[in-house]
Every structure is written in C-alpha cells, then in structure tokens.
C-alpha cells in the first residue's frame, strides 16, 4: 500500500502489526470489505503487540509540523499502535509537544487546534480521524475517553470508506484557530470578542481591503475622508486625527507587527491566510497598546513539506485588469520559501468634468516574500518582507449646493462627476521586513519579533467641495499632504506549556517611531484671485514606547477558568513644528514640545464551560491611548498645550455556543464601555483647530454572529450589531455643548447575511455565494448637524463559479453592489456642500490555476 493513501503506522515493537493493518487497509479499500470484517481485523491486529496504558507517561519532543509526520513521531516516542487516513491528516498542522505526558493527554495537546480527533479502541490502539467523520457520541465513550466497540466500528467506517447511516449529520463547521491570546487556540474556547476571516472567505467574497472587512463585522465601521486618512471605528471609538503627534485607538497589525500610521494601513488584502478583528481594548496580550480594537492581518507562510503554485487572472468593468501569483515550498529539508506578487489596474469611478481627469482609479503593485529556516526541531526562524506601491487620481467629491443649501449652480445632477478642477493625485510606497523566531524550551516557547516598517505617501487634493470659480462656492481649500513614518519594534514573548492548573504568556515590547510630515494649506477665494491662507507645516514626531505585559489563565476545574493580566506602558513623545505663513512672515514660529505618559491597564476574565459546546465568559478590560500634540494648527499655544491620554474601561458578557452536533455556531456578546478623557478635535472660536480631552462617553450594545451548515452544500452566516454610543459630557470652551450627542461613525445597528453554496457534480463542483450588508445612519461629526448625517444603505454582492474535480482550475463570475446603490461615504462642507460616494456596481471574472 502506498503511504500517500494511508499514514505511517508506527508502534515500536509492533511493526508487524503496522504491516498487517496496512495490508488490511489496502485490501479493504480495493474490495470494499464490510465494516464488521474491517473492525474485526483491526481489533485482532491490535493484539499483536501489547499497547501501553493511555495513562502511561512518555517523554515527547515533537516540533510544530505537518500532522502525518507529527503523528508518526508520536507513535515512535510512545511505542503506540496508530492508524490514520493520510489524505485527511496531511493537510493539518499540529502544535509543538515537548515534555513528559500521559499518552492520552499528549495526543490531545498535539492535535489541539486541528480538525483531528484521537480515538483509542479497547486494546489501546490509537486512531486519528477528522472530527466531521467522528460519529462517536458521548454514550459510546467511557470515562477515560476510549472508544467502545460501536466507536471503533464508526472509526473503521470513516477510515475505510464504509457508509454510515448518519454520515451527513457528522459534517460540522470547521474549528477556527486564532492567536488572539498569542498561543494557538480554538476561538470558541477563549474569552475574546471578534470576527475571523480565513483565506477562502476573503477570496470568495472579494474582501480586498479593510473597508470590505468592516461591512461584514459587527461593531466595526470605516470611512474615508481622503486616501491617506481612513477612519476606523470599533464600537464608536475612533478619532479622525492625521496629526503626526497623535495616536489612533484602533490598531492595524500585519503578522503581529504594528503599522504606525493610517496612511500605510489601507493596504490590499492579498496573500493573506487570516484576518482577525478583535473588539474592545487590546494590548494586555500583545505588542502595541490600542484602546478600541485591533485588526490583525496574517499573511501566508512557506511550508517545509508541500509545494504550491497558484496564479489568478481577472478582468471586469471600468477596464479592471488584475493578476496575482503565489509560489511556496521547500528548498531543502530545513529551508522553505514563498513569493507572491499582485498587480491591479482600473479606470476611475468618477471624472472631474472641469479637467477631464479620472478620479477613484487604481494602479497598484504588491510583493511579499518569506524564508523559513528550521535548523533543528526546537528552533524556527521566519524572515518576511513586503513591498507595495499604489497611485490614483484622488477622491471624488461631487458638488451639491452652496453652504446654505440654496444655490445649485454648478450641480450637473450626476454623482459620478466632480467639479474640483485642481489635478488631484495620490501615490504611496510601503516597505516592511520582520524576523520571527520561535525557540522551544522545556517550560514553553520563547518568541521574538523584530520588525522595521517604512512608508511614504503623497497626496494633493481639494478639501473644498468644489472649484472656487463656481458662483455658488465661497472658498476652496487645497491640501498638499506628505506622510513619511519609519518604525522599529522588538517584542519578546514567553508562551508557557499548558499545565494542568494554569498557563501564562509574558512579554516585553519596545517601539520607536520617527515620522516626518509636511502639510501645505492654500485657501482660495474671490473666484480664485485671492489666497486667504498659504501656509506650510514641517513636522517631525518621535515616539518611544516600552511596555511589559503578562496574562495568566488559572484552570480552577474542567468547567471554570480565571484569567488575570496586566500591561504597563511608558511612552515618550517629542514633536517639532516649523510653521511658515507665506502671506505674513511675522506669524512664523518654531516649537518643540515633548511629554511622557505611563499607564497600567489590567484585565480579568471569567470563563465557564457547562459542556463541550458552550463557553460563557465575562471580562473587564482597560485600554490606554497615549496623549500627544496637535501639530497642524497655526496657534503655538495650542501645540504646546498638548492633550492627555484617553482610557476605556470595557465590560463584556458573552456566550459562544455550538448546536446541532457542530453544524451551527452562535455567539453573542453584550458590552458596556466607558470612555474617559476622550481626545477630540474641533475649531475653536479663535478660528484655529485644537485637540484636547473634551469628553466622557459611553458605548453599550450587543453583537451577534452565527454560522449554520444548513445542508452539506449550503452554509448560512449572519451578523448583527446594536450600538448606543453618545457623549456624556462634551463642552467646547467658549463654544457649543455637544453633551448627549451621538459619537461619530457609530451606526446604531448593522447586519450582514451571506450564503455559501458548493455542490459536487459529475466532473467538478458548482460554487455560488450571495451576501447582503446593511448599515444604519450615523454622523461624521460630533456636532450631529444634518450636513454630517450619512444615510443608511445596503449592498448586495454575488458570485457563481465552477471548479474542476482535481481542484486545479476554477472560474468565478462576481459582482459587487449589484443593485448599484448610491451610498454616501462622507460629506464636505468647506466652501460648499459636496458628497463623496462609495463604489458603484462592479463585476468581473477570475480564472485561477492551483498546483500542489
């Protein structure tokens, strides 16, 4: 029998048994022998050698690797008889296993986070099968977890392909493994709230950027004021500051490396294996501290065991042309590499009718590479690098009316035309390198992440709503925005073994950011013949942060866990501002303020596991965003005053549940978050923009997610979010009182519904999908004036395709915003009223070839 059909069966002194079972497996597959016959042969063969007790302890030393190799080593080290189906097992990756354990505990640790389930027969022989094939119910298991005779019969049916009366009921939704708490864990088992998107979901639904992810995630909203200043809001917590001296409460991470500025965060999601959106304060468990939430992007990693090549080409309306390619595999027994590349071009969704230039177009190129070194079983080093460049003709604001809403002169009635006249432009380069080291020790794993990231974005755009020569437009604000951050980070983590009573994670983190920023402002008036403002800001901001964190989980019993964690952060921020007033040199100034901030942010969780299908948890978490300086105002006092840190205290009560024998997953979280010293920006009566700690705010709500395997071919998924986010106190000194107003970019409700269909036919499979997302209205400013109200909207997306039976070729037709919904992303009120609309209906076709 070929070992590519069946796994190696190794049992020390039982090698004769191994040969026997291999022959039996081969014969049974060829002759379709009966379930009873196969079961009897397996039971007889297992008696050839005496199996060790499942409670007998052995020393194990097995690295993280492909499951068939890990299981073979496990059998050797435990002198254990083992049989498994190679095709099912080889696609999984097991955890590291180092230390002395009983056999039954060791195999559970080894297979944690996989879709494999260990089953022992009455003689102690071990089988590893996929959970979807396991029809062994609680009534068929004894107290030690060994399978009874009915259990081994079901096991043999799964292995040898014999039909099962209830096989359809045994198909389940696959387990989602995350590193939200650094160690790999089943997401359903941990007290963390979030949404997880795997590679297949991203590709099938064309979730190409974080903006797409937001529509499918409860409690997460995004908007764009311009290319280099996206706004991300989690449960209403966010700010719109682009100043180099300010921080963001929502953090973006790529392969556990913090992205320092939002000008480099709106990248394309290609060659990505998982995206996790973690809601609520983060930082106790990893890297850079963030107050509102973390978006974790994990790219693919090379394999030491398998080679893969994939290429995809596509085309669509607006002259869309895209191509991507991916290659990965071993270079030697201990070295593997991967390389991925993507190129995309598209015409603009809009055009400036005064100069004929496309806006909302796209021209992008992305490159990612990685090397994996595993010099021995206890050491792994990954070197990763990425480069991206993209450019377009700017964002499209379409003119609506004069600022009072009365004069429509210049409005041509078309939402896909702009009236800006100035030749807008945007181009950006992003570069990053990182080294990830995992060293296995007796007590756990020591991890090191060393990273450097750099980006350079340049954008010239009109903040004003339309060209100032229109009689209905009073002024036009032009912006020349250049953002050049560089950052270095070093993180050390220690991830303990999972002991019977507790486990823990501890880490230290160092972060150094140096950002150069230039902003040029020109305010035109009098039909463009006057420059009311012509000024330049030359800014440098340096940030140094040192943090230490620890998180421990105490296993009170099989049903109760207590989690205790904390993080101490110390941060220094120094800025320099060189302000030049080109209309009046007497107003020029230079200043270089600095400040230090520190905070301890604790976290405590309680988890209750009433059974294997339910996790109920409660948590209290504090989050911290450092203070800073407003580096883009013409008032030196406002710069030097600075602003204090903001904090959030978040309370969560949640339930993660599985129903219908794993065919339905339903998760619900209730939350209450208290914002203190919220950082806000506004225009003071003296006509200059200021940032200071202006508000207290409260966010309460609920988030619901479920996924249901309705049939073997159809999966139904849905999300829903309810949010009440308002300012408890927000009074502008000498100005308005916004207390009681809604937080900006905080829709009161949102939901999504998606259908995923796959049906096998004679020579392949038919693939189809349908999704609908809806978002409630919200304000884009704390004043809550009607001009800042964004109406609710819903988007319909669909796809249909076919994949050949060998899974090498796939063709897919796709469409996004199929109802051609005209939805507003942002409104501008500078000099006039204008609206920026989201993408129109888009459709296309992709052809994919995969070989492995």
């Amino acid at each position: 029998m070929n070992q590519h059909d069946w796994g190696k069966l190794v049992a020390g002194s039982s090698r004769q048994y191994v040969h026997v079972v291999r022959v039996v497996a081969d014969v049974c597959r060829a002759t379709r022998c009966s379930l009873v016959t196969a079961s009897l042969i397996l039971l007889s063969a297992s008696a050839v050698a005496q199996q060790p007790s499942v409670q007998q302890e052995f020393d194990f030393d097995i690295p993280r690797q492909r499951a068939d190799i890990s299981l073979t080593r496990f059998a050797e080290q435990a002198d254990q008889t083992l049989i498994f189906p190679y095709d099912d097992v080889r696609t999984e990756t097991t955890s590291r296993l180092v230390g002395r354990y009983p056999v039954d505990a060791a195999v559970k640790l080894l297979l944690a986070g996989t879709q494999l389930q260990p089953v022992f027969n009455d003689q102690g022989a071990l089988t590893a099968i996929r959970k979807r094939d396991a029809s062994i119910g609680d009534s068929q298991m004894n107290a030690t977890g060994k399978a009874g005779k009915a259990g081994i019969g079901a096991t043999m049916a799964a292995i040898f392909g014999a039909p099962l009366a209830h096989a359809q009921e045994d198909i389940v939704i696959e387990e989602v493994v995350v590193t939200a708490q650094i160690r790999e864990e089943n997401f359903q088992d941990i007290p963390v709230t979030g949404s997880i998107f795997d590679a297949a979901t991203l590709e099938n639904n064309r979730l190409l950027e974080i903006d797409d992810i937001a529509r499918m995630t409860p409690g997460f909203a995004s908007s764009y004021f311009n290319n280099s200043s996206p706004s991300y809001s989690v449960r209403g917590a966010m700010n719109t500051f682009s100043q180099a001296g300010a921080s963001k409460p929502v953090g973006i991470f790529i392969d556990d490396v913090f992205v320092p500025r939002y000008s480099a965060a709106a990248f394309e999601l290609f060659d990505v294996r998982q995206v996790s959106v973690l809601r609520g304060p983060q930082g106790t468990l990893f890297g850079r501290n963030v107050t509102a939430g973390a978006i974790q992007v994990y790219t693919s990693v090379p394999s030491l065991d398998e080679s893969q090549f994939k290429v995809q080409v596509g085309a669509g309306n607006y002259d869309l042309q895209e191509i991507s390619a991916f290659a990965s595999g071993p270079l030697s027994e201990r070295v593997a590499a991967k390389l991925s590349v993507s190129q995309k071009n598209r015409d603009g969704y809009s055009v400036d009718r005064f100069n004929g230039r496309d806006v909302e177009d796209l021209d992008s190129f992305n490159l990612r590479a990685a090397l994996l070194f595993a010099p021995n079983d206890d050491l792994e080093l990954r070197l990763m690098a990425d480069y991206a460049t993209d450019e377009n003709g700017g964002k499209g604001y379409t003119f609506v009316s004069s600022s009072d809403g009365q004069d429509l002169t210049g409005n041509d009635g078309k939402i896909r035309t702009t009236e800006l006249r100035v030749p807008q432009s945007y181009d950006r380069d992003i570069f990053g390198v990182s080294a990830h080291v995992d060293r296995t020790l007796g007590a756990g794993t020591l991890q090191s992440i060393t990273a450097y990231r750099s980006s350079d974005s340049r954008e010239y755009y009109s903040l004003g709503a339309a060209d100032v020569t229109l009689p209905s437009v009073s002024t036009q604000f032009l912006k020349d925005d250049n953002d050049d951050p560089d950052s270095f980070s070093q993180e050390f983590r220690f991830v303990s073994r999972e002991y019977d009573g507790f486990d823990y994670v501890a880490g230290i983190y160092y972060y150094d950011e140096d950002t150069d920023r230039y902003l040029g402002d020109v305010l035109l008036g009098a039909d463009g013949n006057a420059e009311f403002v012509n000024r330049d800001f030359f800014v440098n901001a340096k940030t140094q942060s040192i943090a230490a964190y620890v998180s421990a989980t105490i296993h009170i019993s099989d049903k109760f866990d207590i989690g205790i964690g904390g993080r101490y952060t110390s941060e220094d921020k120094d800025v320099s501002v060189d302000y030049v007033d080109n209309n009046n040199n007497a107003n020029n100034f230079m200043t270089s303020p600095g400040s230090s901030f520190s905070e301890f942010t604790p976290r405590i969780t309680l988890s209750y596991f009433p059974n294997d299908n339910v996790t109920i948890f409660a948590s209290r978490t504090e989050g911290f965003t450092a203070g800073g300086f407003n580096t883009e105002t013409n008032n030196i006092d406002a710069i030097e005053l600075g602003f204090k840190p903001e904090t959030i205290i978040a309370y969560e009560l949640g339930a993660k549940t599985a129903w219908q024998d794993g065919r339905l997953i339903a998760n619900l979280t209730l939350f209450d978050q208290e914002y203190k010293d919220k950082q806000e920006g506004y225009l003071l009566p003296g006509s200059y923009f200021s940032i200071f700690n202006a508000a207290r705010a409260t966010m309460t709500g609920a988030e619901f997610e479920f996924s249901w395997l309705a049939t073997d071919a159809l999966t139904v998924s849905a999300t829903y979010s309810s949010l009440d986010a308002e300012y408890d106190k927000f009074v502008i000194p000498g100005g308005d009182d916004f207390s009681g107003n809604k937080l900006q970019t905080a829709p009161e409700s949102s939901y999504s519904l998606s259908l995923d269909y796959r049906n096998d036919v004679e020579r392949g499979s038919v693939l189809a999908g349908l999704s609908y997302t809806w978002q409630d209205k919200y304000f884009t400013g704390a004043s809550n004036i009607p001009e800042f109200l964004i109406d609710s909207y819903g988007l319909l997306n669909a796809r249909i395709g076919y994949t050949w039976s060998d899974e090498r070729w796939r063709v897919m037709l796709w469409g996004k915003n199929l109802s051609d919904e005209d939805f507003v992303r942002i409104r501008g009120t500078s000099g006039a009223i204008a609206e920026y609309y989201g993408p129109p209906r888009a459709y296309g076709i992709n052809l994919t070839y995969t070989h492995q």
Side-chain angles (χ1 to χ4, degrees):
M1 177 186 175
N2 192 309
Q3 70 174 14
H4 292 286
D5 292 325
W6 294 92
K8 292 182 178 180
L9 313 176
V10 183
S13 61
S14 306
R15 296 189 182 277
Q16 182 180 358
Y17 163 81
V18 173
H19 174 72
V20 170
V21 174
R22 279 184 175 171
V23 172
V24 170
D26 205 21
V27 171
C28 283
R29 168 168 284 191
T31 64
R32 299 185 181 274
C33 64
S34 71
L35 171 62
V36 174
T37 302
S39 301
L40 290 174
I41 295 175
L42 176 62
L43 290 170
S44 300
S46 64
V48 172
Q50 182 66 36
Q51 299 301 306
S53 166
V54 296
Q55 300 299 320
Q56 185 175 342
E57 292 187 352
F58 291 89
D59 290 316
F60 294 96
D61 186 358
I62 303 173
R64 184 177 185 272
Q65 59 189 340
R66 206 172 70 191
D68 60 309
I69 302 174
S70 291
L71 286 169
T72 300
R73 295 193 61 176
F74 178 87
E76 292 172 342
Q77 295 177 17
D79 193 26
Q80 177 70 44
T81 298
L82 172 65
I83 184 170
F84 59 81
Y86 179 83
D87 287 340
D88 280 350
V89 169
R90 70 184 181 89
T91 59
E92 297 286 345
T93 300
T94 59
S95 303
R96 289 178 182 268
L97 180 63
V98 178
R100 187 173 183 83
Y101 299 96
V103 172
D104 58 349
V107 72
K108 290 178 182 178
L109 291 173
L110 184 70
L111 299 181
T114 73
Q115 282 298 299
L116 301 175
Q117 173 175 320
V119 177
F120 292 91
N121 73 0
D122 286 342
Q123 284 69 40
L126 172 63
T127 303
I129 60 176
R130 278 199 173 272
K131 293 176 181 177
R132 68 168 183 262
D133 296 325
S135 62
I136 305 172
D138 292 339
S139 63
Q140 297 169 314
M141 301 291 288
N142 61 26
T144 64
K146 296 180 183 178
K149 294 182 179 179
I152 196 65
T155 300
M156 292 304 298
I159 294 174
F160 293 116
L164 287 175
H166 303 288
Q168 184 169 338
E169 296 178 2
D170 297 327
I171 298 176
V172 300
I173 295 174
E174 289 196 4
E175 183 177 282
V176 177
V177 178
V178 297
T179 55
Q181 298 185 130
I182 295 182
R183 67 175 74 245
E184 291 188 346
E185 298 169 297
N186 180 357
F187 184 69
Q188 290 296 109
D189 295 338
I190 61 176
V192 174
T193 302
S195 299
I196 316 299
F197 302 85
D198 61 16
T201 301
L202 296 171
E203 181 177 1
N204 291 338
N205 293 279
R206 284 187 67 84
L207 304 180
L208 304 178
E209 54 189 62
I210 293 175
D211 193 48
D212 294 325
I213 295 289
R215 295 194 182 98
M216 304 289 290
T217 304
F220 183 26
S222 73
S223 63
Y224 281 80
F225 192 76
N226 57 301
N227 284 279
S228 56
S229 301
S231 296
Y232 301 125
S233 169
V234 176
R235 296 175 175 171
M238 55 93 71
N239 67 47
T240 59
F241 312 147
S242 59
Q243 285 82 345
S247 301
K248 293 288 188 180
V250 179
I252 313 294
F253 298 80
I254 180 167
D255 294 319
D256 289 329
V257 177
F258 179 68
V259 178
R261 300 277 295 164
Y262 276 10
S263 59
F267 48 78
E268 289 190 41
L269 299 177
F270 94 104
D271 184 25
V272 171
R273 58 185 169 90
Q274 188 181 85
V275 175
S276 303
V277 181
L278 307 181
R279 297 185 286 274
Q282 307 295 324
T284 303
L285 292 165
F286 63 92
R288 183 80 167 143
N289 182 64
V290 288
T291 305
I295 301 157
Q296 299 176 304
V297 179
Y298 293 101
T299 61
S300 64
V301 295
S303 170
L304 288 170
D305 304 308
E306 292 185 344
S307 296
Q308 183 182 34
F309 173 76
K310 179 178 180 179
V311 62
Q312 182 179 93
V313 295
N317 61 335
Y318 294 96
D319 200 22
L320 171 67
Q321 302 174 41
E322 55 187 16
I323 182 171
S324 62
F326 170 84
S328 175
L331 302 180
S332 67
E333 184 180 356
R334 293 291 185 176
V335 181
K338 75 123 188 212
L339 180 67
S340 58
V341 62
S342 171
Q343 173 77 46
K344 185 179 298 182
N345 303 89
R346 190 198 66 235
D347 291 343
Y349 294 140
S350 302
V351 64
D352 191 323
R353 62 190 180 93
F354 288 166
N355 61 27
R357 292 170 60 97
D358 268 11
V359 292
E360 301 295 321
D361 57 325
L362 177 65
D363 184 356
S364 72
F365 174 79
N366 298 267
L367 179 69
R368 290 199 176 112
L371 278 174
L372 170 64
F373 298 91
N376 57 59
D377 293 341
D378 297 327
L379 181 63
E380 181 178 287
L381 168 64
R382 285 175 290 135
L383 300 177
M384 309 178 77
D386 62 271
Y387 170 76
T389 179
D390 57 316
E391 61 182 45
N392 62 48
K395 292 289 182 183
Y397 287 93
T398 183
F399 173 75
V400 176
S401 71
S402 58
S403 296
D404 60 9
Q406 301 301 312
D407 192 345
L408 276 65
T409 305
N411 185 341
D412 65 349
K414 300 177 181 179
I415 68 168
R416 297 298 172 184
T417 60
T418 67
E419 294 77 20
L420 301 175
R421 195 180 298 274
V422 298
Q424 298 186 113
S425 62
Y426 172 73
D427 61 276
R428 175 182 62 172
D429 297 301
I430 302 174
F431 173 71
V433 292
S434 60
H436 305 248
V437 181
D438 284 9
R439 172 70 175 178
T440 300
L441 305 172
T445 302
L446 180 64
Q447 300 177 346
S448 170
I449 303 174
T450 308
Y452 170 79
R453 296 202 66 82
S454 175
S455 64
D456 182 3
S457 70
R458 301 162 293 276
E459 184 169 16
Y460 189 79
Y461 64 99
S462 176
L463 179 67
D467 183 62
V468 73
T469 60
L470 286 175
S472 49
V473 179
S474 58
T475 59
Q476 185 176 12
F477 217 154
L478 305 180
K479 294 275 190 177
D480 188 359
D481 189 322
N482 296 261
D483 207 40
D484 304 325
D486 296 287
S487 66
F488 171 82
S489 62
Q490 174 63 60
E491 184 172 6
F492 292 105
R493 306 165 168 171
F494 184 77
V495 184
S496 78
R497 284 174 42 192
E498 294 188 35
Y499 297 97
D500 290 339
F502 73 98
D503 54 70
Y504 65 91
V505 173
I508 56 175
Y509 179 74
Y510 173 76
Y511 177 75
D512 187 297
E513 178 188 332
D514 190 338
T515 295
D516 289 318
R517 181 168 169 80
Y518 165 74
L519 183 70
D521 285 344
V522 175
L523 180 62
L524 301 177
D527 294 335
N529 296 315
E531 289 187 354
F532 296 141
V533 172
N534 188 334
R535 62 192 183 192
D536 300 308
F537 295 90
F538 299 92
V539 179
N540 177 262
K542 291 182 171 63
T543 300
Q544 282 192 334
S545 179
I546 299 176
Y549 59 86
V550 63
S551 179
T553 301
I554 303 170
H555 307 296
I556 302 298
S557 68
D558 291 342
K559 292 186 178 297
F560 288 97
D561 282 353
I562 295 179
I564 301 174
R567 174 192 180 95
Y568 178 78
T569 305
S570 176
E571 187 160 311
D572 296 326
K573 189 164 290 185
D574 297 283
V575 302
S576 65
V577 180
D578 183 0
Y579 172 73
V580 178
D581 187 337
N582 296 300
N583 288 341
N584 186 353
N585 290 336
N587 294 328
N588 295 355
F589 64 80
M590 295 182 65
T591 183
S592 301
S595 190
S596 297
F597 313 95
S598 61
E599 192 80 19
F600 175 73
T601 49
R603 182 174 190 255
I604 184 168
T605 64
L606 301 174
S607 299
Y608 171 54
F609 312 98
N611 56 56
D612 291 341
N613 298 319
V614 177
T615 300
I616 298 174
F617 67 91
S619 67
R620 181 190 184 276
T621 310
E622 294 187 18
F624 160 77
T625 300
F629 300 91
N630 175 18
T631 53
E632 294 173 15
T633 182
N634 59 331
N635 185 292
I636 190 172
D637 293 332
I639 295 175
E640 294 177 345
L641 178 64
F643 48 89
K644 299 185 300 182
E646 65 180 16
T647 59
I648 280 183
I649 301 177
Y651 300 88
E652 290 185 342
L653 178 63
K656 298 182 177 182
T657 66
W659 306 83
Q660 297 183 0
D661 296 326
R663 296 177 69 90
L664 189 151
I665 302 295
N667 297 339
L668 173 67
T669 302
L670 308 177
F671 63 88
D672 181 275
Q673 298 188 168
E674 301 172 2
Y675 233 136
K676 293 184 179 180
D677 295 321
K678 188 177 189 309
Q679 298 165 3
E680 287 286 354
Y682 49 82
L683 192 66
L684 284 175
S687 296
Y688 62 87
F689 184 79
S690 180
I691 302 175
F692 83 124
N693 303 90
R696 294 198 309 269
T698 301
M699 300 92 82
T700 60
E703 295 154 350
F704 177 72
E705 297 180 87
F706 95 99
S707 186
W708 177 38
L709 189 60
T711 71
D712 292 350
L714 177 65
T715 301
V716 181
S717 301
T719 68
Y720 176 76
S721 171
S722 175
L723 175 65
D724 181 11
E726 66 177 39
Y727 297 100
D728 299 322
K729 184 178 180 180
F730 184 6
V731 180
I732 297 177
D736 295 323
D737 184 352
F738 295 150
S739 302
N741 283 7
K742 297 296 183 182
L743 268 64
Q744 53 188 319
T745 319
E748 291 187 355
S749 60
S750 63
Y751 67 83
S752 69
L753 176 66
S754 61
L755 308 176
D756 191 350
Y757 178 81
R758 175 173 179 143
N759 188 36
D760 294 338
V761 293
E762 183 177 355
R763 296 185 180 180
S765 300
V766 175
L767 313 172
L770 186 71
S771 68
Y772 181 77
T773 62
W774 184 86
Q775 183 172 270
D776 205 350
K777 59 183 181 296
Y778 63 87
F779 291 99
T780 59
S783 63
N784 287 189
I785 61 175
E787 289 79 7
F788 290 159
L789 180 65
I790 303 300
D791 293 329
S792 60
Y793 64 89
L795 300 178
L796 178 67
N797 303 327
R799 67 184 189 277
I800 186 167
Y802 180 83
T803 181
W804 280 255
S805 56
D806 60 3
E807 298 286 345
R808 290 193 176 186
W809 290 96
R810 187 179 81 163
V811 62
M812 185 74 70
L813 293 169
W814 57 267
K816 302 184 74 170
N817 188 12
L818 287 176
S819 61
D820 204 19
E821 177 84 3
D822 296 331
F823 63 104
V824 177
R825 301 303 307 275
I826 204 79
R827 282 194 171 89
T829 59
S830 176
I833 297 176
E835 296 174 334
Y836 162 52
Y837 283 82
R841 178 191 295 121
Y843 52 85
I845 185 172
N846 289 103
L847 179 64
T848 305
Y849 173 77
T850 304
H851 178 73
Q852 61 181 16

